[in-house]
Amino acid sequence: MSNLNPRQQEAVLYTDGPLLVLAGAGSGKTSVITRKIAWLIQERGVPARRIAAVTFTNKAAREMKERVQALASRGQTRGLIVSTFHNLGLRILKSELAACGLRRGFSILDQADSKEILKEILLQGESEKDAAAVDGVQKRISDWKNELILPDQAVSHASSDDELRAAMAYSGYNRMLRACNAVDFDDLILMPADMFRAQPRILEKWRHRIQYLLVDEYQDTNGAQYELVRMLALPEGHFTVVGDDDQSIYAWRGARPENLARLQDDWPALKVVKLEQNYRSTGRILKAANTVIANNPHVFEKSLWSDYGFGGPIRIAAMRDEDGETDWIAGDLFHRRLQGGLHWRDFAVLYRGNFQSRILEMKLQSLQIPYKVSGGTSFFARSEIKDLMCYLRLLVNPDDDNAFLRIINTPRREIGPATLERLAGWAAQREQGLYHVCEDLGLAEVMPAKALEKLGEFKRWLDQKRRFCFGHNSLQAVNELITEMKYEDWIMQNASSPRIGEKRMQNVWQLVRNIQRMLEKQEEDDDGATDLEAVISKLVLMDMLEQQDQEDDSDRVQLMTLHASKGLEFPHVYMMGVEEELLPHRTSIEEDNIVEERRLMYVGITRARETLTMTQARTRKQYGEKIDTLPSRFIEELPQDDLHYIGEGFEKDEKQETQAAEASIANLRALLD
């Protein structure tokens, strides 16, 4: 405990009741959580198997578990739960299958899989023109689930035709999931919470199982997550939650920062410990962050401070347009790296929307400045790749109901949701997978002959591909599969433009080439024996490897959105496009939701350790026309004495700074020539 400050020690040692640790940015909250777990095990004698620590990302959970194991022996931590909310929910569901109405081996559908089911329910084979409506209904259903609202409640409380349509779709969608022995991502929280409400005996069992609960990033919890924690922690309130309402930036996905304040209502004896000492940034950066965020309303007041010195001024660079802005950033990056003997990885450029990085990427490429864009779409997350991967998964594993549901009507085979619901009910009675029962004679009793024939055609076709795949030429079978189901026609019909359609098909053929290379490598390694099943298993894991690659420490400038930057820190930070209608975003201005945008500004500022630069363009192109922009209102909220203005409209420094940037670019070009 000697290397913890007094407030951190207080948070670790307090276990007499409910505790809220109000942890400012960079205040060492992970150390508090991990040391508290170790202290509970080693000093208070709480068995590790009776402790659960919950956070929001797998990466954070891994880091937390590794740090606990460094403080306590592996034997002492055996049985400790350190997981995301959704993994905890999954653990509960798997332990209580019968109570939840699930069977062993249930599928978990991701957002794309769920959308396909909703398309069938809402569009009933009609044109894809209403795809935007499907997105809206999917978001509405997710919101209902995040607030523990069940289908019957949604229907009874619908206040408009659109809401009633969404509620009816919710009801049909849930019936389809249960019939197919599947859940979606939101169900991993809703179903355990709903089960606990309905079955106190099971709740009591889990309260005994989890005798002390710790929750990280509590400001990001939604209504269902809050209720799950509340029920598990009653009646004694043996929990510690760690959060910061100033860093709540995920309202668009259901986060409710007011959950921090609700704790005081539900737990009148709640103790609050504030962590205000920052171990990341200079005093001037923290002063700027405190000054900006003070404009938001607060239930809990706090003010960050640091022992790291006051630091240099915050630079505000205004350029004529977005080309000038990105030119200046690229030149300044290069100049500062050479001048300070720094690494490229010491720099991060943060922005409100992904589109802002495109021009900057071209500038960096032209100057051969290495960079990494974080948070981009994974190759395996693209819908066309998911489609083909599900076909391949079903080829090698006919029991994969999740894959079956995604591709049975992709491309369309006139197999509607009613047919699939009856098929799922029949499969459940027979205790077999959906694919296996597609030709059962008994199906004629529960569905029309035409639907039965469509299912049979699909199964016979894929069976033939499977036999060819494993008996002759795997690669030829994969190529024939794509051609015979006319997948390219399907892609082109549903693409927003021919160019997009062509790009999606290029991705499909890229996957086929990857399969070819992997099969050829097997031939080299295994004396001619090929195994498509092994290749597909490796491909399924590739997405995980891509995510790990994003966490490498190679020497590259980091480019990412402000949302993606949360939890990270960098020596030198550029915040790009700090203008009205970008930050704060136009939608937030129209919806009068400036408080969350201000929190986003606060998150961006507190990513910087040593220097912070904000840039803006005086004009930007919009729909082919140049429009004048206004500096963000948040710049006016910064302490003006701590700012150093550069560029357009600031005569004193414009010439000097512009010349420095141009000289840096010229020097770099000379090196590259």
Side-chain angles (χ1 to χ4, degrees), residues 563-612:
H563 283 98
S565 73
K566 187 170 175 289
L568 304 177
E569 59 182 76
F570 308 94
H572 308 285
V573 168
Y574 294 81
M575 290 176 64
M576 185 175 163
V578 187
E579 303 156 18
E580 288 291 295
E581 300 196 354
L582 273 180
L583 182 66
H585 193 271
R586 179 188 306 160
T587 303
S588 298
I589 296 172
E590 291 170 353
E591 296 176 354
D592 194 23
N593 187 24
I594 300 300
V595 290
E596 178 146 336
E597 293 291 296
R598 189 175 283 111
R599 290 196 290 263
L600 199 55
M601 177 78 167
Y602 174 84
V603 166
I605 293 171
T606 53
R607 297 315 93 197
R609 294 195 336 231
E610 299 174 30
T611 69
L612 176 64

Short mmCIF file of all heavy atoms in Angstrom, two decimals, residues 563-612:
data_model
loop_
_atom_site.label_atom_id
_atom_site.label_comp_id
_atom_site.label_asym_id
_atom_site.label_seq_id
_atom_site.Cartn_x
_atom_site.Cartn_y
_atom_site.Cartn_z
N HIS A 563 -13.73 9.11 -29.40
CA HIS A 563 -14.36 8.01 -28.68
C HIS A 563 -13.38 6.85 -28.50
O HIS A 563 -13.31 6.24 -27.43
CB HIS A 563 -15.61 7.51 -29.42
CG HIS A 563 -16.80 8.40 -29.25
ND1 HIS A 563 -17.17 9.34 -30.18
CD2 HIS A 563 -17.70 8.50 -28.24
CE1 HIS A 563 -18.25 9.98 -29.76
NE2 HIS A 563 -18.61 9.48 -28.59
N ALA A 564 -12.63 6.52 -29.56
CA ALA A 564 -11.71 5.39 -29.49
C ALA A 564 -10.52 5.67 -28.58
O ALA A 564 -9.85 4.74 -28.12
CB ALA A 564 -11.22 5.03 -30.90
N SER A 565 -10.24 6.95 -28.31
CA SER A 565 -9.05 7.30 -27.52
C SER A 565 -9.25 7.13 -26.03
O SER A 565 -8.29 7.14 -25.26
CB SER A 565 -8.65 8.75 -27.80
OG SER A 565 -9.55 9.67 -27.18
N LYS A 566 -10.51 6.96 -25.59
CA LYS A 566 -10.78 6.86 -24.16
C LYS A 566 -9.98 5.72 -23.54
O LYS A 566 -9.94 4.61 -24.06
CB LYS A 566 -12.28 6.66 -23.91
CG LYS A 566 -12.66 6.71 -22.44
CD LYS A 566 -14.17 6.74 -22.30
CE LYS A 566 -14.57 6.68 -20.85
NZ LYS A 566 -14.33 5.38 -20.24
N GLY A 567 -9.33 6.00 -22.42
CA GLY A 567 -8.52 4.99 -21.74
C GLY A 567 -7.07 4.97 -22.18
O GLY A 567 -6.25 4.27 -21.59
N LEU A 568 -6.74 5.75 -23.24
CA LEU A 568 -5.36 5.78 -23.74
C LEU A 568 -4.68 7.09 -23.35
O LEU A 568 -5.32 8.03 -22.89
CB LEU A 568 -5.36 5.63 -25.27
CG LEU A 568 -6.06 4.37 -25.81
CD1 LEU A 568 -6.05 4.39 -27.33
CD2 LEU A 568 -5.40 3.10 -25.28
N GLU A 569 -3.37 7.14 -23.56
CA GLU A 569 -2.62 8.37 -23.30
C GLU A 569 -1.43 8.44 -24.24
O GLU A 569 -0.90 7.42 -24.68
CB GLU A 569 -2.15 8.41 -21.84
CG GLU A 569 -1.25 7.25 -21.44
CD GLU A 569 -0.86 7.31 -19.98
OE1 GLU A 569 -1.70 6.97 -19.12
OE2 GLU A 569 0.30 7.68 -19.71
N PHE A 570 -1.02 9.67 -24.57
CA PHE A 570 0.08 9.89 -25.50
C PHE A 570 0.87 11.12 -25.06
O PHE A 570 0.28 12.09 -24.55
CB PHE A 570 -0.46 10.12 -26.92
CG PHE A 570 -1.41 9.06 -27.39
CD1 PHE A 570 -2.78 9.23 -27.23
CD2 PHE A 570 -0.95 7.90 -27.97
CE1 PHE A 570 -3.68 8.26 -27.64
CE2 PHE A 570 -1.84 6.91 -28.38
CZ PHE A 570 -3.20 7.08 -28.21
N PRO A 571 2.18 11.13 -25.28
CA PRO A 571 2.97 12.30 -24.90
C PRO A 571 2.51 13.58 -25.60
O PRO A 571 2.42 14.64 -24.99
CB PRO A 571 4.40 11.92 -25.31
CG PRO A 571 4.42 10.43 -25.29
CD PRO A 571 3.05 10.02 -25.74
N HIS A 572 2.20 13.47 -26.91
CA HIS A 572 1.87 14.67 -27.69
C HIS A 572 0.58 14.43 -28.48
O HIS A 572 0.51 13.51 -29.30
CB HIS A 572 3.01 15.03 -28.63
CG HIS A 572 4.34 15.13 -27.94
ND1 HIS A 572 4.68 16.20 -27.14
CD2 HIS A 572 5.37 14.24 -27.87
CE1 HIS A 572 5.89 15.99 -26.63
NE2 HIS A 572 6.32 14.82 -27.05
N VAL A 573 -0.42 15.27 -28.24
CA VAL A 573 -1.74 15.05 -28.82
C VAL A 573 -2.16 16.24 -29.68
O VAL A 573 -2.00 17.40 -29.27
CB VAL A 573 -2.79 14.82 -27.72
CG1 VAL A 573 -4.21 14.88 -28.27
CG2 VAL A 573 -2.56 13.47 -27.03
N TYR A 574 -2.68 15.94 -30.88
CA TYR A 574 -3.33 16.92 -31.74
C TYR A 574 -4.83 16.59 -31.76
O TYR A 574 -5.22 15.46 -32.03
CB TYR A 574 -2.82 16.85 -33.18
CG TYR A 574 -1.37 17.22 -33.36
CD1 TYR A 574 -0.35 16.31 -33.08
CD2 TYR A 574 -1.01 18.49 -33.82
CE1 TYR A 574 0.98 16.63 -33.26
CE2 TYR A 574 0.33 18.83 -34.00
CZ TYR A 574 1.32 17.90 -33.71
OH TYR A 574 2.65 18.23 -33.89
N MET A 575 -5.65 17.59 -31.45
CA MET A 575 -7.11 17.45 -31.62
C MET A 575 -7.48 18.23 -32.87
O MET A 575 -7.31 19.44 -32.93
CB MET A 575 -7.85 17.96 -30.39
CG MET A 575 -7.67 17.08 -29.17
SD MET A 575 -8.45 17.77 -27.67
CE MET A 575 -10.18 17.75 -28.16
N MET A 576 -8.02 17.52 -33.84
CA MET A 576 -8.20 18.06 -35.18
C MET A 576 -9.67 18.48 -35.39
O MET A 576 -10.59 17.80 -34.94
CB MET A 576 -7.81 16.94 -36.16
CG MET A 576 -7.80 17.26 -37.61
SD MET A 576 -7.17 15.78 -38.46
CE MET A 576 -7.71 16.13 -40.12
N GLY A 577 -9.87 19.60 -36.06
CA GLY A 577 -11.24 20.03 -36.38
C GLY A 577 -12.04 20.47 -35.17
O GLY A 577 -13.20 20.09 -35.01
N VAL A 578 -11.42 21.30 -34.31
CA VAL A 578 -12.12 21.77 -33.11
C VAL A 578 -12.96 22.99 -33.52
O VAL A 578 -12.58 24.14 -33.31
CB VAL A 578 -11.12 22.09 -31.98
CG1 VAL A 578 -11.86 22.42 -30.69
CG2 VAL A 578 -10.19 20.91 -31.74
N GLU A 579 -14.08 22.68 -34.16
CA GLU A 579 -14.95 23.70 -34.74
C GLU A 579 -16.41 23.40 -34.40
O GLU A 579 -16.77 22.26 -34.12
CB GLU A 579 -14.82 23.69 -36.29
CG GLU A 579 -13.41 23.88 -36.78
CD GLU A 579 -13.23 23.29 -38.19
OE1 GLU A 579 -14.25 23.06 -38.87
OE2 GLU A 579 -12.07 23.04 -38.57
N GLU A 580 -17.23 24.44 -34.44
CA GLU A 580 -18.66 24.25 -34.32
C GLU A 580 -19.15 23.31 -35.43
O GLU A 580 -18.70 23.39 -36.57
CB GLU A 580 -19.40 25.58 -34.42
CG GLU A 580 -19.23 26.47 -33.21
CD GLU A 580 -19.93 25.92 -31.97
OE1 GLU A 580 -21.18 25.83 -31.96
OE2 GLU A 580 -19.21 25.58 -31.00
N GLU A 581 -20.05 22.44 -35.10
CA GLU A 581 -20.66 21.44 -35.97
C GLU A 581 -19.75 20.24 -36.23
O GLU A 581 -20.17 19.29 -36.89
CB GLU A 581 -21.16 22.04 -37.30
CG GLU A 581 -22.21 23.12 -37.07
CD GLU A 581 -22.98 23.46 -38.32
OE1 GLU A 581 -22.65 22.95 -39.41
OE2 GLU A 581 -23.94 24.26 -38.21
N LEU A 582 -18.52 20.28 -35.71
CA LEU A 582 -17.68 19.08 -35.67
C LEU A 582 -17.49 18.66 -34.21
O LEU A 582 -17.75 17.53 -33.84
CB LEU A 582 -16.32 19.33 -36.33
CG LEU A 582 -16.23 19.10 -37.84
CD1 LEU A 582 -14.82 19.39 -38.35
CD2 LEU A 582 -16.64 17.67 -38.20
N LEU A 583 -17.02 19.58 -33.41
CA LEU A 583 -16.89 19.36 -31.96
C LEU A 583 -17.24 20.67 -31.26
O LEU A 583 -16.38 21.56 -31.17
CB LEU A 583 -15.45 18.94 -31.62
CG LEU A 583 -15.20 18.63 -30.13
CD1 LEU A 583 -15.98 17.40 -29.70
CD2 LEU A 583 -13.70 18.41 -29.89
N PRO A 584 -18.50 20.88 -30.82
CA PRO A 584 -19.58 19.90 -30.77
C PRO A 584 -20.15 19.57 -32.15
O PRO A 584 -20.18 20.40 -33.05
CB PRO A 584 -20.64 20.59 -29.91
CG PRO A 584 -20.40 22.05 -30.15
CD PRO A 584 -18.91 22.19 -30.30
N HIS A 585 -20.62 18.33 -32.26
CA HIS A 585 -21.18 17.83 -33.51
C HIS A 585 -22.53 18.50 -33.80
O HIS A 585 -23.26 18.87 -32.88
CB HIS A 585 -21.37 16.32 -33.40
CG HIS A 585 -21.64 15.65 -34.71
ND1 HIS A 585 -22.92 15.49 -35.20
CD2 HIS A 585 -20.80 15.11 -35.63
CE1 HIS A 585 -22.85 14.87 -36.38
NE2 HIS A 585 -21.58 14.63 -36.65
N ARG A 586 -22.81 18.66 -35.08
CA ARG A 586 -24.05 19.33 -35.48
C ARG A 586 -25.29 18.67 -34.87
O ARG A 586 -26.20 19.34 -34.39
CB ARG A 586 -24.17 19.31 -37.01
CG ARG A 586 -25.45 19.97 -37.52
CD ARG A 586 -25.62 19.76 -39.01
NE ARG A 586 -24.43 20.19 -39.73
CZ ARG A 586 -24.12 19.80 -40.96
NH1 ARG A 586 -24.91 18.96 -41.59
NH2 ARG A 586 -23.03 20.25 -41.55
N THR A 587 -25.33 17.33 -34.88
CA THR A 587 -26.49 16.63 -34.32
C THR A 587 -26.67 16.96 -32.85
O THR A 587 -27.80 17.16 -32.37
CB THR A 587 -26.32 15.11 -34.51
OG1 THR A 587 -26.15 14.82 -35.90
CG2 THR A 587 -27.54 14.36 -33.99
N SER A 588 -25.57 17.01 -32.11
CA SER A 588 -25.65 17.32 -30.69
C SER A 588 -26.15 18.74 -30.46
O SER A 588 -26.88 19.01 -29.50
CB SER A 588 -24.28 17.13 -30.03
OG SER A 588 -23.87 15.80 -30.14
N ILE A 589 -25.75 19.66 -31.33
CA ILE A 589 -26.23 21.05 -31.22
C ILE A 589 -27.74 21.08 -31.46
O ILE A 589 -28.49 21.71 -30.70
CB ILE A 589 -25.50 21.96 -32.23
CG1 ILE A 589 -23.99 22.03 -31.90
CG2 ILE A 589 -26.10 23.36 -32.24
CD1 ILE A 589 -23.16 22.74 -32.96
N GLU A 590 -28.19 20.38 -32.51
CA GLU A 590 -29.62 20.38 -32.84
C GLU A 590 -30.44 19.72 -31.74
O GLU A 590 -31.58 20.12 -31.48
CB GLU A 590 -29.83 19.64 -34.18
CG GLU A 590 -29.27 20.40 -35.38
CD GLU A 590 -29.27 19.57 -36.65
OE1 GLU A 590 -29.59 18.36 -36.56
OE2 GLU A 590 -28.95 20.13 -37.72
N GLU A 591 -29.87 18.69 -31.09
CA GLU A 591 -30.59 17.97 -30.04
C GLU A 591 -30.33 18.57 -28.66
O GLU A 591 -30.78 18.02 -27.66
CB GLU A 591 -30.18 16.50 -30.06
CG GLU A 591 -30.59 15.78 -31.35
CD GLU A 591 -30.10 14.34 -31.40
OE1 GLU A 591 -29.34 13.94 -30.47
OE2 GLU A 591 -30.47 13.63 -32.35
N ASP A 592 -29.60 19.66 -28.62
CA ASP A 592 -29.28 20.34 -27.36
C ASP A 592 -28.61 19.37 -26.37
O ASP A 592 -28.98 19.29 -25.20
CB ASP A 592 -30.54 20.94 -26.74
CG ASP A 592 -30.21 21.94 -25.62
OD1 ASP A 592 -29.08 22.47 -25.63
OD2 ASP A 592 -31.06 22.17 -24.75
N ASN A 593 -27.61 18.63 -26.89
CA ASN A 593 -26.89 17.67 -26.06
C ASN A 593 -25.41 18.05 -26.01
O ASN A 593 -24.53 17.23 -26.29
CB ASN A 593 -27.06 16.25 -26.62
CG ASN A 593 -26.47 15.19 -25.70
OD1 ASN A 593 -26.34 15.41 -24.49
ND2 ASN A 593 -26.09 14.06 -26.26
N ILE A 594 -25.16 19.29 -25.63
CA ILE A 594 -23.78 19.79 -25.61
C ILE A 594 -22.99 19.18 -24.46
O ILE A 594 -21.76 19.04 -24.55
CB ILE A 594 -23.78 21.34 -25.51
CG1 ILE A 594 -24.51 21.94 -26.71
CG2 ILE A 594 -22.36 21.88 -25.42
CD1 ILE A 594 -23.89 21.58 -28.05
N VAL A 595 -23.67 18.76 -23.39
CA VAL A 595 -22.93 18.27 -22.22
C VAL A 595 -22.09 17.04 -22.57
O VAL A 595 -20.95 16.91 -22.10
CB VAL A 595 -23.87 17.94 -21.04
CG1 VAL A 595 -24.45 19.22 -20.46
CG2 VAL A 595 -24.98 16.99 -21.46
N GLU A 596 -22.62 16.15 -23.40
CA GLU A 596 -21.82 14.96 -23.76
C GLU A 596 -20.67 15.34 -24.68
O GLU A 596 -19.57 14.79 -24.59
CB GLU A 596 -22.69 13.88 -24.39
CG GLU A 596 -21.88 12.67 -24.81
CD GLU A 596 -22.61 11.35 -24.65
OE1 GLU A 596 -23.55 11.24 -23.84
OE2 GLU A 596 -22.23 10.40 -25.34
N GLU A 597 -20.91 16.28 -25.59
CA GLU A 597 -19.82 16.74 -26.46
C GLU A 597 -18.71 17.39 -25.63
O GLU A 597 -17.52 17.26 -25.93
CB GLU A 597 -20.35 17.72 -27.49
CG GLU A 597 -21.29 17.11 -28.50
CD GLU A 597 -20.58 16.15 -29.46
OE1 GLU A 597 -19.72 16.60 -30.23
OE2 GLU A 597 -20.88 14.94 -29.41
N ARG A 598 -19.11 18.12 -24.57
CA ARG A 598 -18.11 18.73 -23.70
C ARG A 598 -17.30 17.65 -22.97
O ARG A 598 -16.09 17.78 -22.77
CB ARG A 598 -18.78 19.68 -22.71
CG ARG A 598 -17.77 20.52 -21.91
CD ARG A 598 -18.48 21.53 -21.02
NE ARG A 598 -18.98 22.68 -21.77
CZ ARG A 598 -20.27 22.94 -21.98
NH1 ARG A 598 -21.21 22.14 -21.48
NH2 ARG A 598 -20.63 24.01 -22.67
N ARG A 599 -17.97 16.57 -22.60
CA ARG A 599 -17.24 15.45 -21.98
C ARG A 599 -16.27 14.83 -22.97
O ARG A 599 -15.18 14.39 -22.61
CB ARG A 599 -18.24 14.40 -21.47
CG ARG A 599 -19.04 14.87 -20.27
CD ARG A 599 -19.72 13.73 -19.55
NE ARG A 599 -20.80 13.11 -20.27
CZ ARG A 599 -22.08 13.40 -20.10
NH1 ARG A 599 -22.45 14.33 -19.21
NH2 ARG A 599 -23.02 12.79 -20.80
N LEU A 600 -16.66 14.81 -24.24
CA LEU A 600 -15.77 14.29 -25.28
C LEU A 600 -14.54 15.18 -25.43
O LEU A 600 -13.41 14.70 -25.61
CB LEU A 600 -16.54 14.19 -26.60
CG LEU A 600 -15.98 13.29 -27.69
CD1 LEU A 600 -15.77 11.87 -27.19
CD2 LEU A 600 -16.92 13.29 -28.90
N MET A 601 -14.75 16.49 -25.36
CA MET A 601 -13.64 17.44 -25.38
C MET A 601 -12.72 17.18 -24.18
O MET A 601 -11.49 17.16 -24.31
CB MET A 601 -14.20 18.87 -25.32
CG MET A 601 -13.16 19.97 -25.26
SD MET A 601 -12.44 20.28 -26.88
CE MET A 601 -11.58 21.83 -26.58
N TYR A 602 -13.31 16.96 -23.02
CA TYR A 602 -12.55 16.69 -21.79
C TYR A 602 -11.72 15.41 -21.95
O TYR A 602 -10.54 15.37 -21.57
CB TYR A 602 -13.54 16.55 -20.64
CG TYR A 602 -12.97 16.13 -19.31
CD1 TYR A 602 -12.42 17.07 -18.44
CD2 TYR A 602 -13.00 14.80 -18.90
CE1 TYR A 602 -11.91 16.68 -17.20
CE2 TYR A 602 -12.50 14.40 -17.67
CZ TYR A 602 -11.95 15.36 -16.82
OH TYR A 602 -11.46 14.98 -15.60
N VAL A 603 -12.32 14.38 -22.53
CA VAL A 603 -11.58 13.13 -22.76
C VAL A 603 -10.39 13.39 -23.68
O VAL A 603 -9.28 12.90 -23.44
CB VAL A 603 -12.52 12.06 -23.37
CG1 VAL A 603 -11.72 10.88 -23.94
CG2 VAL A 603 -13.49 11.55 -22.30
N GLY A 604 -10.61 14.16 -24.76
CA GLY A 604 -9.51 14.45 -25.68
C GLY A 604 -8.38 15.19 -25.00
O GLY A 604 -7.20 14.85 -25.15
N ILE A 605 -8.70 16.22 -24.22
CA ILE A 605 -7.67 17.00 -23.53
C ILE A 605 -6.86 16.12 -22.59
O ILE A 605 -5.62 16.19 -22.54
CB ILE A 605 -8.32 18.16 -22.74
CG1 ILE A 605 -8.93 19.19 -23.71
CG2 ILE A 605 -7.30 18.85 -21.83
CD1 ILE A 605 -9.78 20.25 -23.02
N THR A 606 -7.54 15.25 -21.85
CA THR A 606 -6.85 14.46 -20.82
C THR A 606 -6.13 13.24 -21.38
O THR A 606 -5.55 12.45 -20.63
CB THR A 606 -7.84 14.00 -19.73
OG1 THR A 606 -8.96 13.35 -20.33
CG2 THR A 606 -8.33 15.20 -18.92
N ARG A 607 -6.12 13.07 -22.72
CA ARG A 607 -5.26 12.03 -23.32
C ARG A 607 -3.81 12.50 -23.38
O ARG A 607 -2.90 11.69 -23.52
CB ARG A 607 -5.69 11.69 -24.76
CG ARG A 607 -7.08 11.11 -24.95
CD ARG A 607 -7.44 10.02 -23.98
NE ARG A 607 -8.14 10.56 -22.82
CZ ARG A 607 -8.30 9.91 -21.67
NH1 ARG A 607 -7.81 8.70 -21.51
NH2 ARG A 607 -8.96 10.47 -20.67
N ALA A 608 -3.58 13.82 -23.33
CA ALA A 608 -2.25 14.39 -23.54
C ALA A 608 -1.44 14.38 -22.26
O ALA A 608 -1.93 14.78 -21.20
CB ALA A 608 -2.38 15.82 -24.07
N ARG A 609 -0.21 13.96 -22.35
CA ARG A 609 0.68 13.95 -21.19
C ARG A 609 1.54 15.22 -21.13
O ARG A 609 1.68 15.84 -20.09
CB ARG A 609 1.59 12.71 -21.23
CG ARG A 609 0.80 11.45 -21.07
CD ARG A 609 1.59 10.19 -20.74
NE ARG A 609 2.97 10.13 -21.11
CZ ARG A 609 3.53 9.13 -21.79
NH1 ARG A 609 2.77 8.13 -22.22
NH2 ARG A 609 4.81 9.12 -22.05
N GLU A 610 2.15 15.59 -22.26
CA GLU A 610 3.12 16.70 -22.24
C GLU A 610 2.65 17.91 -23.03
O GLU A 610 2.77 19.04 -22.54
CB GLU A 610 4.47 16.20 -22.79
CG GLU A 610 5.08 15.06 -21.97
CD GLU A 610 6.33 14.50 -22.63
OE1 GLU A 610 7.03 15.27 -23.32
OE2 GLU A 610 6.59 13.30 -22.47
N THR A 611 2.18 17.70 -24.26
CA THR A 611 1.75 18.84 -25.07
C THR A 611 0.40 18.54 -25.71
O THR A 611 0.06 17.39 -26.01
CB THR A 611 2.76 19.18 -26.19
OG1 THR A 611 2.76 18.13 -27.18
CG2 THR A 611 4.16 19.36 -25.62
N LEU A 612 -0.34 19.64 -25.94
CA LEU A 612 -1.66 19.54 -26.56
C LEU A 612 -1.81 20.63 -27.60
O LEU A 612 -1.52 21.80 -27.35
CB LEU A 612 -2.75 19.69 -25.49
CG LEU A 612 -4.20 19.71 -25.96
CD1 LEU A 612 -4.58 18.39 -26.62
CD2 LEU A 612 -5.14 20.02 -24.79
#
